Structure formats: structure tokens, C-alpha cells
Amino acid sequence: MDRWLAGPEASRLRRAADPLVIDLGYGAVPTTAVELHHRLCRVRADVEVIGIEIEPARVAIAKPLERPGLSFRQGGFEIPVSGRRPAVVRAFNVLRQYREAEFGAAWDTVCGRLAPGGLFIDGTCDEIGRRATWIAVAPEGPLSLSISLRFGAFARPSEVAERLPKALIHHNVPGEPVHRYLRALDRAWADAAPLAAFGHRQRWLAMCKSMHDAGWPVLDGPSRWRLGEITVAWKAVAPKPLYG
């Protein structure tokens, strides 16, 4: 997700009046916040990353790693940054712990604190980042769903279903848009099987192109596909009636 934020979404940070980025719920150790700061410094040297955790002990562990542009504090979805409006808020593996009826309120709370043109990223991944999905949410509503898979770590793209964000995971059932999308990915992946002899990347590229050619609103292109990513417009996967 970091390379996506520093790649096709980098313009959001470059044009931000206040280049503030929040890593919300970074976990027991602050690795993700440290890595995020390191990567976004290449996009904008004056970026500021604040890691926010609800557990005071986790904040205390992270404090010794503070440096110019990177700090840690206690808090939650209210984003305690003294009235500043962040350009980006990233929350990975946070909302998956909530009930389905609760995620919408969290989206609204965070989006209400974003700067104009800001972005909230609600994502989920496995323990070592081989399978990840995230929804890009703007104040006007969700924009897209991204899937990122490590080549060689899956047999079918739909295996990422267990890592869908809370807004979608319970809707991966027949008749729902996200279910149709994952099945379409699997079919395109199977159709591209003859290219497996040239490596997983070539097969993935062919799958993504097939999805695009079939009319799915794919928002990215080969430069992202070759990394094992594919991003589709939210309208293609939006559950009904939630945020549909």
C-alpha cells in the first residue's frame, strides 16, 4: 500500500497545504509508521507522519523512534492532532475487528477530519503482507478497491477474499458485486494460464488486461499491474445498500 500511496496517489500529498499523514492503529510495534515516513519522504521531504494508537503502552514503545517528521501519540478515530486536517489517514487491520454496522461511522468520523482532497485508506492484509486489499475513501464517499498479491503466494486471485475490508468481506456471496468481481478475476487468471510458462507477472498482466477489456472499470495500468496490483472503481464492487 505504501508504494501505491507514493505512486499513483502521490499527487495528493504533493499538493497538500499541510503534508500530514496519519498511521492509525499501527499495532504492537511501530514498524509500519516508520516505513511509511521513510517512503513518503521521497515524495515530499517535509511530510509529517504521526502514528496513533489507542493503547498507551504501544505509544510508549514507539516514542524512542521519534525523529523530525515522525511522532507517536495516543488516540483513535477522532484523530487527535489539535485541529489539523491530515492529507492522508491510513488504517490497516483496524476496522476488521469491528462489527459490520460500525465501520460506516468510523469512515464518517475520519473523513470529517480530512483536509480538502484528503484520503482515508481502510485496508486489511495478512501477517506478512503477501495478500492485501484496501478501499480508498474520500469525504464524498468511497472511490476504489485495490488488491495486491505477492506472486507465487496464491493459486487464485479470489484467495484474497479472507482479507477483504469490513465493508466488503461479508458481501462476498453469490449475487453481490464483489463476489462477481472476484469470480471474474479467477476466470481471467485461468484463461491466462498458458502464460504461466513466462512467469506469474506475465500471467497477472494478461489477467488485468482481460478485465479491462471486458469492461470492468479498472483504474490503473500496466505499471501497477506488474507489481501484482489491480484497482477497480468502487461502483464495480459496492454492496447494496451500504455506500452503494
Side-chain angles (χ1 to χ4, degrees), residues 99-172:
R99 295 195 303 269
E100 185 179 13
E102 298 174 322
F103 81 86
W107 280 14
D108 291 343
T109 297
V110 173
C111 287
R113 286 156 172 76
L114 291 173
L119 197 66
F120 174 42
I121 302 167
D122 174 12
T124 306
C125 66
D126 67 2
E127 291 74 12
I128 57 175
R130 296 170 302 175
R131 302 176 180 184
T133 67
W134 60 89
I135 300 170
V137 188
E140 62 270 22
L143 304 176
S144 62
L145 170 70
S146 296
I147 291 174
S148 178
L149 294 170
R150 181 177 179 178
F151 295 132
F154 64 95
R156 299 185 309 277
S158 65
E159 291 172 14
V160 80
E162 64 184 17
R163 301 296 173 176
L164 286 170
K166 180 60 68 173
L168 292 173
I169 193 167
H170 300 298
H171 293 271
N172 184 31

Side-chain angles (χ1 to χ4, degrees), residues 35-189:
E35 291 178 343
L36 185 61
H37 179 249
H38 174 72
R39 289 162 181 160
L40 294 186
C41 277
R42 302 173 185 175
V43 175
R44 184 161 170 173
D46 61 342
V47 68
E48 181 179 356
V49 173
I50 299 178
I52 295 179
E53 251 297 338
I54 198 70
E55 297 290 342
R58 293 181 173 184
V59 178
I61 290 171
K63 281 288 185 180
L65 295 175
E66 290 187 336
R67 57 180 185 243
L70 176 65
S71 61
F72 301 90
R73 63 186 63 178
Q74 184 182 4
F77 289 106
E78 77 283 0
I79 315 294
V81 289
S82 303
R84 296 171 66 188
R85 297 172 72 82
V88 177
V89 176
R90 187 268 300 277
F92 248 67
N93 297 320
V94 176
L95 283 170
R96 66 176 303 176
Q97 305 168 46
Y98 286 63
R99 295 195 303 269
E100 185 179 13
E102 298 174 322
F103 81 86
W107 280 14
D108 291 343
T109 297
V110 173
C111 287
R113 286 156 172 76
L114 291 173
L119 197 66
F120 174 42
I121 302 167
D122 174 12
T124 306
C125 66
D126 67 2
E127 291 74 12
I128 57 175
R130 296 170 302 175
R131 302 176 180 184
T133 67
W134 60 89
I135 300 170
V137 188
E140 62 270 22
L143 304 176
S144 62
L145 170 70
S146 296
I147 291 174
S148 178
L149 294 170
R150 181 177 179 178
F151 295 132
F154 64 95
R156 299 185 309 277
S158 65
E159 291 172 14
V160 80
E162 64 184 17
R163 301 296 173 176
L164 286 170
K166 180 60 68 173
L168 292 173
I169 193 167
H170 300 298
H171 293 271
N172 184 31
V173 294
E176 284 278 2
V178 70
H179 185 268
R180 290 196 296 271
Y181 178 60
L182 292 178
R183 298 290 82 74
L185 284 174
D186 280 352
R187 288 193 298 272
W189 178 253

